[in-house]
Amino acid sequence: MAICIPHLIQKCATCKVLKHLTMKQMGALLNSNRKYGSSLFVTKNEGKEVFTFLTPYLDIEQRLADIKKLQGDLTARGLNWNAEDIKNMWEFYKTVKTDEANLQLKSKEITDELMPLFKNKNFTTEEEVNFKKLKLQMKCVKDDLKLVKESLLELNASILEKMLQIPNEIDGRTPIGMPIVLKSVNSLNEHSDSEKMGHVEIGRRLGLLEYRNPMQYYLCNDAAFFELGVLNYAGKLFSKDNMIRVAGADFSRSLVIDGSGLNHEDPADAFIIDNHTDVEKNSVNRMHLVGGASLISFLAMHAKQVIDAKHFPVAYFSTGRQYTPFRPGSTSIGLFTVCQTSAAIAFILVKDAKSREYQTQFERLLNIVCKLYDDVCDHYQVVLRPAVELRPWEAMRVSFELWSSFSKQYIEVGHISVCGEYFSKRLLIAYQTPEGKAFPSIISGTVLSVPRLLGCLLEQNPDKFVIPPKILQHMPTDYVSL
């Protein structure tokens, strides 16, 4: 039996001709902008050289069950993908897998018929003809099985990796067009100065900031103490609400980068440590600098872990460093685009995304973060971001924004993302149920970026840096204003 595949089309002599995608359909779907080797999914031919730590759970059948919903999600995100082509590709892959199973079954049946004949030394004419016929069939089946397996290796490296690129299902609350302002605290009071200064210039003039480029800047005097104070206060609010403080690892492997939906081979997605002595340069298992207060760090803690169901919901937070590369071609906007960020991040695991508990935990986190900004800012707004702005793992994103007087726009200084089972299925974060293993849903977000917050506060009062009273109370005891 010869399998019909786009790059190897033959007539099938012993089976029906398989339905298959045209070259144009396959090429259009596979030739996306994202081209790199997957660290999350390792094919069998690569598996000889690469250790496979986990195999992600693919919920393709579930996503393709409502093809209109999938197409709507892809279109809303601004992706030029055809859901029908994705479905056809998956059906084709399943057909080839079915043929492999049928060939293996046929091989076993012929083997069972041949075994007694091998022991028989005195064939009748009819038995000899049957013996030769069975041997010929076995050779044909083995040749076809080899061809199918070779085809599957290529399909695994193309189709399955493409399936992993399908973004998260969009939450019904996410707007399709423009962002929605959920809450605006106090009114915006801008200074009437005709020439407003940027926060970098203000910071230098007040002796609070030395800024050279996105990779190199220094907070000085009151700004450095403010950084400590605001992180301490954020930590106090989270601890008061019984969230668990953790200290995450600053480094992570390519597996987790890929599992989070980022390109582990793109230095603009995550910092790559090229001179790490334990890993080859072109390995799919390199080390990355991410920071202990990052989503990647939390995911690394839970990858391939089974959590006791009685412990849910699990709510963590961390304060510390977060490292994000500066993307080439982007415009540098002072502290708004720095690569090293002092941040506070929250990470919550809930058993069921459809449960009331999931919504309760989201609202609980939202209220904590609003309390933080109530005590730090005179004016801020809470905004529901539109689908086109979501990252692949986000089903919904709520931003906390402050006004930048110099840039004349609101700047996101924190966010909360609803992610559903996206991460847990890709990284096998599970819990046990009577029916088997299930995957928890995740709510997470960098709820506070200190450099972004500081930049906005400096622009709001260019003559003097006024530290909010609540933050003053949580600064080091030996603090003296300079």
Side-chain angles (χ1 to χ4, degrees):
M1 179 181 69
I3 291 297
C4 296
I5 57 177
H7 56 278
L8 183 61
I9 300 179
Q10 302 177 11
K11 289 186 177 180
C12 302
T14 60
C15 70
K16 294 180 181 180
V17 178
L18 296 173
K19 290 179 65 177
H20 59 275
L21 300 178
T22 65
M23 289 284 286
K24 183 177 180 180
Q25 287 175 316
M26 183 72 79
L29 196 53
L30 292 181
N31 293 331
S32 64
N33 293 328
R34 177 178 174 180
K35 296 182 179 180
Y36 63 89
S38 174
S39 173
L40 186 64
F41 182 83
V42 180
T43 57
K44 289 184 178 180
N45 54 336
E46 294 173 320
K48 297 176 182 179
E49 302 175 357
V50 180
F51 172 74
T52 307
F53 181 70
L54 61 81
T55 300
Y57 176 84
L58 294 174
D59 60 346
I60 306 303
E61 295 290 345
Q62 181 180 336
R63 295 302 307 276
L64 294 177
D66 189 343
I67 201 71
K68 290 184 178 180
K69 174 69 166 65
L70 176 59
Q71 186 62 66
D73 285 356
L74 296 173
T75 303
R77 287 178 178 271
L79 298 175
N80 188 25
W81 293 4
N82 188 306
E84 286 290 346
D85 284 350
I86 295 176
K87 183 177 181 180
N88 291 338
M89 180 185 289
W90 180 246
E91 292 298 328
F92 171 72
Y93 176 79
K94 289 197 303 179
T95 302
V96 179
K97 288 289 289 184
T98 300
D99 283 333
E100 180 191 33
N102 290 338
L103 283 171
Q104 289 174 335
L105 179 62
K106 185 64 176 177
S107 176
K108 184 179 183 306
E109 291 174 353
I110 296 175
T111 300
D112 291 342
E113 289 187 58
L114 279 173
M115 290 303 294
L117 296 177
F118 277 120
K119 298 177 182 179
N120 188 1
K121 296 181 179 179
N122 299 313
F123 287 127
T124 64
T125 303
E126 183 179 350
E127 288 175 336
E128 186 173 358
V129 171
N130 185 47
F131 181 65
K132 291 180 179 179
K133 179 181 178 181
L134 288 173
K135 287 179 65 177
L136 180 61
Q137 287 181 354
M138 177 60 79
K139 182 180 183 304
C140 291
V141 169
K142 285 185 175 180
D143 289 343
D144 291 340
L145 187 57
K146 180 181 177 181
L147 178 61
V148 171
K149 288 184 175 180
E150 289 175 352
S151 302
L152 279 174
L153 286 177
E154 295 187 30
L155 292 175
N156 284 340
S158 57
I159 292 180
L160 291 188
E161 288 184 16
K162 183 66 180 181
M163 296 303 162
L164 282 170
Q165 296 177 32
I166 298 176
N168 201 354
E169 185 176 355
I170 294 177
D171 190 285
R173 293 166 291 181
T174 297
I176 301 302
M178 300 297 291
I180 297 175
V181 178
L182 299 177
K183 177 181 179 181
S184 183
V185 177
N186 299 324
S187 58
L188 175 63
N189 295 318
E190 277 209 89
H191 293 279
S192 58
D193 302 342
S194 57
E195 295 183 4
K196 292 184 172 64
M197 292 184 292
H199 60 266
V200 172
E201 185 179 352
I202 295 170
R204 284 172 179 164
R205 184 167 56 82
L206 297 179
L208 302 173
L209 175 66
E210 290 184 21
Y211 178 89
R212 299 177 185 176
N213 55 61
M215 290 286 290
Q216 189 177 17
Y217 73 99
Y218 307 92
L219 301 184
C220 310
N221 302 321
D222 283 7
F225 284 105
F226 171 80
E227 177 186 57
L228 297 175
V230 73
L231 290 178
N232 284 340
Y233 183 53
K236 179 180 178 180
L237 289 178
F238 289 132
S239 297
K240 188 177 180 181
D241 209 66
N242 297 320
M243 295 182 70
I244 304 169
R245 181 191 288 271
V246 300
D250 284 327
F251 304 93
S252 188
R253 292 285 186 180
S254 298
L255 170 75
V256 187
I257 302 295
D258 202 6
S260 71
L262 296 173
N263 181 345
H264 70 97
E265 292 184 347
D266 187 351
D269 268 6
F271 285 112
I272 302 172
I273 302 177
D274 284 331
N275 61 347
H276 190 252
T277 55
D278 295 337
V279 181
E280 296 180 5
K281 184 175 182 181
N282 296 322
S283 170
V284 295
N285 191 32
R286 288 177 290 185
M287 290 289 287
H288 302 261
L289 176 65
V290 296
S294 67
L295 173 63
I296 306 298
S297 185
F298 276 103
L299 293 175
M301 289 171 53
H302 294 86
K304 206 178 180 181
Q305 297 292 323
V306 178
I307 303 170
D308 193 329
K310 68 182 181 182
H311 292 153
F312 287 101
V314 183
Y316 304 105
F317 78 93
S318 182
T319 58
R321 294 288 185 266
Q322 192 177 103
Y323 300 97
T324 306
F326 182 77
R327 187 167 291 278
S330 301
T331 302
S332 174
I333 316 176
L335 295 178
F336 299 155
T337 53
V338 292
C339 298
Q340 176 180 288
T341 302
S342 297
I345 183 172
F347 187 86
I348 301 174
L349 292 159
V350 181
K351 279 198 291 187
D352 186 2
K354 296 179 181 179
S355 67
R356 176 59 191 166
E357 183 63 39
Y358 194 57
Q359 180 62 23
T360 299
Q361 290 298 321
F362 171 76
E363 293 173 355
R364 169 194 174 196
L365 181 58
L366 182 64
N367 291 333
I368 296 173
V369 182
C370 284
K371 168 64 175 171
L372 171 63
Y373 287 108
D374 284 341
D375 294 333
V376 174
C377 314
D378 291 330
H379 168 68
Y380 72 94
Q381 64 180 22
V382 183
V383 180
L384 196 58
R385 309 312 311 178
V388 72
E389 296 181 17
L390 299 182
R391 302 301 299 271
W393 57 87
E394 293 177 318
M396 182 178 73
R397 180 188 183 105
V398 174
S399 295
F400 301 89
E401 299 180 342
L402 269 67
W403 179 254
S404 167
S405 302
F406 184 74
S407 301
K408 294 292 185 182
Q409 62 179 335
Y410 278 98
I411 301 295
E412 182 184 272
V413 295
H415 73 272
I416 300 173
S417 297
V418 172
C419 308
E421 300 172 347
Y422 181 89
F423 295 127
S424 56
K425 286 181 176 179
R426 292 167 71 91
L427 293 170
L428 298 189
I429 305 170
Y431 64 94
Q432 197 68 40
T433 70
E435 294 77 25
K437 290 182 180 178
F439 300 97
S441 296
I442 294 174
I443 303 168
S444 185
T446 301
V447 298
L448 169 66
S449 169
V450 176
R452 286 170 168 255
L453 173 63
L454 179 61
C456 291
L457 292 179
L458 288 175
E459 291 183 10
Q460 290 174 11
N461 194 345
D463 299 322
K464 182 181 179 181
F465 181 43
V466 180
I467 300 176
K470 281 286 186 180
I471 306 305
L472 276 171
Q473 296 172 16
H474 293 83
M475 287 185 176
T477 54
D478 57 350
Y479 165 73
V480 178
S481 181
L482 300 177

